[in-house]
Amino acid sequence: MDDKVKKLAGRAQASLSHAVDYMKEKIIELTGGTSITIMELALYIQNQPETNRNDKKLLGKTYTFYSLKKEGATYHLEMKNAHILQLDVHIKNHDIISYRSYRDHSKLSSPIKIPNTLLPD
């Protein structure tokens, strides 16, 4: 019985995730948007003069945390050396992009749609 419940919960979670992704795509379609990869967006965040950078050494590893507020958007990037661990983009307390290396690694180089207002200069 537990296996059936777990499978059902997994399917429900996957369906909800697909629905959220679909809604984000439709919002961007209606407001206009373009494609960019997580890697390109991470480089954009790192190279902005307004970006705050904080390096921390934890358990012998160097972690870098980037924070940027620009044009109404808040960007957060966490890296271990050159590896992107986490990237988030928020507008008015709404998640526009939420990348986690442990769950989204296959999407690192895939183009994602973002609103034109978030395009790199």
Side-chain angles (χ1 to χ4, degrees), residues 37-105:
T37 66
I38 293 295
M39 294 172 75
E40 292 169 338
L41 189 54
L43 286 172
Y44 169 75
I45 295 167
Q46 292 173 32
N47 293 318
Q48 294 304 299
E50 305 94 353
T51 298
N52 293 318
R53 177 182 171 159
N54 187 8
D55 293 318
K56 290 188 179 185
K57 199 157 188 131
L58 303 167
L59 299 172
K61 309 267 186 206
T62 301
Y63 294 85
T64 308
F65 302 88
Y66 298 91
S67 180
L68 171 66
K69 290 187 179 187
K70 190 170 185 175
E71 298 179 21
T74 303
Y75 302 81
H76 295 284
L77 172 64
E78 296 179 15
M79 299 183 71
K80 181 175 78 173
N81 301 323
H83 182 73
I84 300 168
L85 298 174
Q86 177 176 324
L87 190 148
D88 293 305
V89 179
H90 305 282
I91 297 178
K92 296 181 182 176
N93 296 326
H94 295 287
D95 291 337
I96 302 299
I97 296 171
S98 177
Y99 170 84
R100 303 292 184 272
S101 62
Y102 63 86
R103 75 164 185 237
D104 302 322
H105 183 69

Side-chain angles (χ1 to χ4, degrees), residues 3 26 34 42 47 60:
D3 289 339
K26 288 301 172 187
T34 192
N47 293 318

